[in-house]
């Protein structure tokens, strides 16, 4: 995608719409949890494996910075601003990277909204098996993880910049002539 092209604008617009859907889904599910599951309550969905719960987290992943909640909030805001400013550079012309970054931005938006309105992030998805338990999480956390994973996978299989791929193809053609 060329910067400023109709294709790039279309990809960015589609990515923004997808990100907005994720933010709405995140906030709607958190509202449902707040209304239907008391704090620290639990609803078993798949016995011995998956529950819906209602917990809050003032810190970051796994409760890091629990006593300093402004640190994860501040880092989130800085990351959000930098990702917006450098969206084109970070996506390097690849549509999936643009979507990945916008997924991460949607997750940041969802969790920061919680921090502002509730003073903590609401988590409600709880997976466990025997004595193993994954920390509870939410739709915003899932969007961040999926976005980062998509970005990393793209980075492994695509050149740093889409324009470099065209230069490499032209160089290979010149060498073989």
């Amino acid at each position: 995608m060329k910067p400023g092209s109709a294709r790039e604008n279309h990809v960015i617009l589609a990515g923004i719409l997808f990100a907005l859907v994720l933010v709405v889904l995140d906030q709607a599910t958190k509202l449902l949890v707040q209304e239907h599951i008391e704090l620290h309550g639990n609803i078993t969905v798949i016995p011995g494996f998956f529950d819906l719960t209602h917990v809050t987290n003032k810190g970051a992943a796994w409760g890091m910075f629990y006593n300093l909640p402004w640190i994860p909030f501040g880092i989130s805001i800085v990351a959000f601003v930098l990702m917006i400013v450098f969206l084109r550079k970070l996506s390097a012309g690849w549509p999936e990277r643009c979507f990945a970054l916008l997924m991460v931005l949607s997750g940041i938006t969802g969790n920061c909204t919680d921090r502002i309105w509730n003073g903590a992030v609401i988590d409600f998805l709880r997976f466990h098996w025997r004595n193993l338990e994954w920390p509870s999480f939410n739709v915003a956390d899932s969007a961040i993880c999926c976005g980062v994973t998509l970005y990393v996978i793209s980075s492994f299989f695509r050149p740093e910049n889409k324009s470099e791929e065209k230069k490499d193809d032209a160089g290979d053609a010149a060498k073989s002539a």
Side-chain angles (χ1 to χ4, degrees):
M1 297 182 311
K2 288 185 179 182
S5 70
R7 170 130 168 85
E8 182 191 53
N9 292 337
H10 176 75
V11 167
I12 290 172
L13 179 61
I16 290 170
L17 291 174
F18 182 61
L20 288 173
V21 167
L22 290 173
V23 170
V24 169
L25 180 63
D26 175 66
Q27 292 301 298
T29 54
K30 290 172 180 173
L31 281 173
L32 286 170
V33 165
Q34 286 178 302
E35 289 177 11
H36 298 288
I37 304 173
E38 65 183 71
L39 189 60
H40 303 291
N42 198 58
I43 297 173
T44 299
V45 178
I46 302 173
F49 182 69
F50 175 61
D51 301 333
L52 293 175
T53 189
H54 181 182
V55 295
T56 59
N57 182 1
K58 290 183 180 181
W62 295 281
M64 292 185 297
F65 303 111
Y66 184 83
N67 292 323
L68 301 168
W70 58 270
I71 290 178
F73 182 78
I75 290 170
S76 295
I77 297 301
V78 169
F80 186 93
V81 170
L82 291 174
M83 289 172 70
I84 293 291
V85 169
F86 295 108
L87 182 68
R88 282 191 168 128
K89 176 84 171 138
L90 291 168
S91 65
W94 298 107
E96 72 276 6
R97 290 188 194 170
C98 183
F99 266 83
L101 292 166
L102 288 164
M103 287 173 69
V104 172
L105 289 170
S106 76
I108 291 171
T109 301
N111 284 340
C112 282
T113 300
D114 281 7
R115 290 181 195 286
I116 291 167
W117 294 111
N118 302 310
V121 174
I122 297 166
D123 292 322
F124 59 91
L125 301 169
R126 177 178 172 255
F127 287 89
H128 54 93
W129 185 65
R130 296 187 182 178
N131 292 331
L132 302 172
E133 182 166 344
W134 189 257
S136 297
F137 59 100
N138 57 46
V139 173
D141 297 334
S142 298
I144 291 169
C145 289
C146 290
V148 168
T149 300
L150 178 59
Y151 192 92
V152 168
I153 290 169
S154 175
S155 297
F156 279 123
F157 293 102
R158 304 273 204 176
E160 185 175 324
N161 191 321
K162 195 168 185 177
S163 63
E164 289 178 12
E165 181 183 71
K166 292 178 184 173
K167 290 177 190 173
D168 290 343
D169 289 346
D172 291 342
K175 289 178 188 174
S176 62

